[in-house]
Amino acid sequence: MAHEQRFLQGRTRSTVWTRVAHGLYVPVDEPDGAALQALASQLHRGAGFTHHTAARMRGWWLPPLPEGLPEFAGQNARNRPRRAELRIIRTTPEPEITRLRGLPIVSSTDVLLALARHLGLLDVVVVLDSALRCGDVTPRQLAWTLGCRRFGVRRLRVAASLADPRSESPYETLLRILHVVCEIDVVPQHELWVDGHLVARGDLRLVGHDTYHEYDGAGHREREQHRSDLRRDRDLDSAGWVRRGYTDLEVIHRPATILRDADRTLGRPHDPDRLDAWYFLLRESCFTPAGRHRLLVRLGLLGETPVAA
């Protein structure tokens, strides 16, 4: 079914239109899809949206990207439309194009490869967890992609070795990777059954111990959810289990707290040096100012001036 054109080409001074790019305007009250439709009108045949643009269209998790990024499209042709608001990635071989809500978009695996060219490893794992979880990428499709020789495939291979479709949020992915790089064996989404009754399904079980480490987002402080969490905590305590909840503050800024808790449970000496690998991943990721600056530099949108992590 044809989609109604919701943009204007040319020039206008009307206040009911807002500028998307040179010579492209959309109504001020239109959703983001109108802006993408306007930019899609500038794409050559055989081109489709990719990178963070396509990931957002598919509803995948994304790290906290810098503001003001251009939209991205992939194509095989050398002749590329020139717009500051639209970045073209040349794709070899020619990308497979489908339509999503009337807009051209490259395949899910091409999106992952495009993101892996620019994002940090931790960012790519977050996106890949989401793509696998929602079924947009199957294990078979991923395995075939990892065998190709294309830009981004090396980082995507490493990300695939760390990915897990059982993750239920970006920060849950981060919490899991923090444990993995600190050599703490965990099982995601472990179910605890007592006398045939499901007591809890924990984000991460520390292998060999009756302990859950979980990410508590803002939703856990809402009234009804908070009451449910308290009942669950009492049930876990009655079953002899320990439950520790962490927020983004501990995951990003105070990971030593999580490591110290795990070391105590595992009965091993606390060694802060285990966090070196985690700090490296964070610095390279968009979950820190330094990582977001690094992405802008890689995209040619900023100079090389260092930014503190």
Side-chain angles (χ1 to χ4, degrees), residues 72-88:
F72 279 76
Q75 69 176 45
N76 183 252
R78 291 180 178 274
N79 185 21
R80 309 178 188 182
R82 296 185 179 274
R83 289 282 195 285
E85 298 81 5
L86 181 62
R87 177 67 62 89
I88 303 296

Side-chain angles (χ1 to χ4, degrees), residues 26 63 80 90 126 141 190 195 218 225 229 232 272 282 290:
V26 298
R80 309 178 188 182
R90 190 177 178 208
V126 166
Q141 289 171 324
H190 175 268
D195 298 329
Q225 183 61 51
D229 289 345
R232 178 175 178 267
L282 273 182

Side-chain angles (χ1 to χ4, degrees), residues 41-250:
S41 70
Q42 306 302 300
L43 297 177
H44 296 309
R45 184 181 181 86
F49 289 114
T50 188
H51 210 270
H52 73 93
T53 305
R56 190 176 70 247
M57 290 170 64
R58 293 186 180 278
W60 295 354
W61 303 331
L62 282 167
L65 299 172
E67 294 184 2
L69 286 184
E71 306 295 355
F72 279 76
Q75 69 176 45
N76 183 252
R78 291 180 178 274
N79 185 21
R80 309 178 188 182
R82 296 185 179 274
R83 289 282 195 285
E85 298 81 5
L86 181 62
R87 177 67 62 89
I88 303 296
I89 299 178
R90 190 177 178 208
T91 303
T92 303
E94 186 170 340
E96 176 187 345
I97 305 298
T98 58
R99 309 290 293 191
L100 181 61
R101 294 185 291 278
L103 296 171
I105 187 171
V106 305
S107 69
S108 296
T109 51
D110 278 351
V111 174
L112 291 172
L113 286 168
L115 288 167
R117 291 171 66 168
H118 299 129
L119 296 183
L121 176 60
L122 192 59
D123 301 324
V124 179
V125 176
V126 166
V127 179
L128 182 54
D129 274 4
S130 178
L132 290 168
R133 175 176 173 78
C134 70
D136 281 348
V137 175
T138 66
R140 184 175 180 178
Q141 289 171 324
L142 180 60
W144 185 90
T145 302
L146 297 181
C148 71
R149 298 179 61 184
R150 293 179 57 184
F151 290 116
V153 73
R154 290 185 179 180
R155 180 163 293 145
L156 187 58
R157 285 172 185 155
V158 181
S161 70
L162 297 169
D164 194 310
R166 291 172 290 182
S167 181
E168 295 187 343
S169 74
Y171 274 94
E172 187 178 316
T173 293
L174 264 61
L175 184 62
R176 185 187 77 246
I177 300 304
L178 166 59
H179 283 75
V180 170
V181 299
C182 288
E183 301 176 322
I184 305 165
D185 291 334
V186 292
V187 176
Q189 302 306 322
H190 175 268
E191 293 185 346
L192 172 61
W193 293 80
V194 177
D195 298 329
H197 172 65
L198 179 62
V199 173
R201 183 164 58 90
D203 291 351
L204 300 172
R205 180 195 179 180
L206 275 61
V207 173
H209 301 272
D210 295 344
T211 301
Y212 284 143
H213 280 191
E214 298 190 306
Y215 172 70
D216 287 350
H220 285 270
R221 299 282 74 84
E222 294 179 3
R223 189 173 184 178
E224 288 306 315
Q225 183 61 51
H226 191 203
R227 288 174 174 173
S228 176
D229 289 345
L230 290 175
R231 286 194 299 269
R232 178 175 178 267
D233 289 347
R234 290 192 294 270
D235 290 342
L236 283 170
D237 182 67
S238 297
W241 281 63
V242 174
R243 186 245 180 212
R244 301 185 184 117
Y246 304 102
T247 68
D248 55 339
L249 177 65
E250 287 82 26

Side-chain angles (χ1 to χ4, degrees), residues 252-253 279 282-283 287-291 307-309:
I252 301 296
H253 301 289
Y279 287 133
L282 273 182
R283 285 194 300 270
F287 289 90
T288 61
V307 172

